[in-house]
Amino acid sequence: MSAAEPAPAPLRADAYDLGSSLRLVPVDCHEAALGLALAAIDPWARVGRPAASLEAYWRRRDPTTFRFAILADGALAGAVAVRDPFMRGPYLELLAVLPAFQGRGIGRAVMDWLAGEGLKAGGTNLWLCVSDWNAPARAFYEGLGFEAVGPIPDLAVTGTTEIFLRRRLAAPGA
Ligand SMILES: CC(C)(COP(=O)(O)OP(=O)(O)OC[C@H]1O[C@@H](n2cnc3c(N)ncnc32)[C@H](O)[C@@H]1OP(=O)(O)O)[C@@H](O)C(=O)NCCC(=O)NCCS
């Protein structure tokens, strides 16, 4: 980017450098690998979501959803998808850190990045849904300051309840 070019709007850059050899890059070229990898782990394995469906999710183009592969030292470590605008702050549609990379602070780094982008955009909240049975993810989000807003039955899968979560980033503006 030359000095004359304006910085991209929050969440709308092609790639982000999160430090510690962690990068968010366009999901292109990683869709098939992500489909296979996510189909093998919960929550997607538990509900039987096929790899092809997850691959198609990553291939989908939507002007209000920003999808990135997470690279750690150049290796595919996960992926993140964010919907913005949502409701006075962005909605985290999907976050996955692959098992070999979990527990190293990558999820936290991605959530810190998202909070920073949300604030830059003037947002005052982050939002997401987590399955009620996904105890590890619920512990992760609670540790990051998310609070349950309420249960949403039969949202993703009939018979399963999603918990709508909110993290306050700032006091509401005018
Ligand atoms: C949930 C997930 C995103 C966490 O990512 P991660 O990179 O492993 O998490 P981090 O290493 O950044 O951990 C950040 C904090 O969360 C806590 N945490 C992470 N996983 C946890 C778990 N399973 N149980 C309890 N706490 C956990 C860590 O202890 C850490 O706290 P600390 O910084 O105070 O030590 C990752 O495990 C994942 O992708 N899981 C599978 C997919 C999934 O469930 N996604 C969420 C769907 S809504």
Side-chain angles (χ1 to χ4, degrees):
M1 187 174 67
S2 79
E5 283 180 67
L11 292 165
R12 279 126 177 109
D14 290 337
Y16 291 90
D17 189 344
L18 305 191
S20 307
S21 305
L22 208 57
R23 283 179 60 72
L24 303 184
V25 300
V27 78
D28 318 40
C29 306
H30 298 289
E31 297 98 334
L34 285 170
L36 282 171
L38 270 54
I41 61 171
D42 285 344
W44 304 283
R46 176 158 160 170
V47 300
R49 179 107 181 247
S53 162
L54 286 157
E55 177 179 341
Y57 169 80
W58 291 108
R59 289 192 187 284
R60 203 172 299 147
R61 293 294 171 258
D62 173 340
T64 63
T65 304
F66 305 93
R67 300 171 213 258
F68 299 97
I70 304 168
L71 300 187
D73 287 321
L76 182 64
V80 59
V82 180
R83 184 169 284 273
D84 180 72
F86 181 64
M87 187 162 59
R88 295 184 179 236
Y91 175 78
L92 177 67
E93 195 169 88
L94 193 153
L95 171 64
V97 176
L98 302 184
F101 296 89
Q102 291 176 4
R104 299 187 193 179
I106 294 176
R108 179 185 285 279
V110 172
M111 294 305 292
D112 286 348
W113 160 80
L114 179 56
E117 293 299 294
L119 281 166
K120 275 189 226 164
T124 51
N125 304 275
L126 297 181
W127 306 95
L128 61 91
C129 282
V130 62
S131 300
D132 61 352
W133 53 265
N134 193 348
R138 289 182 68 176
F140 168 73
Y141 291 124
E142 276 163 29
L144 294 175
F146 281 84
E147 296 170 320
V149 174
I152 311 178
D154 305 325
L155 178 68
V157 178
T158 302
T160 294
T161 295
E162 304 301 312
I163 311 289
F164 193 39
L165 299 182
R166 173 193 191 188
R167 176 175 160 191
R168 295 167 196 256
L169 295 178

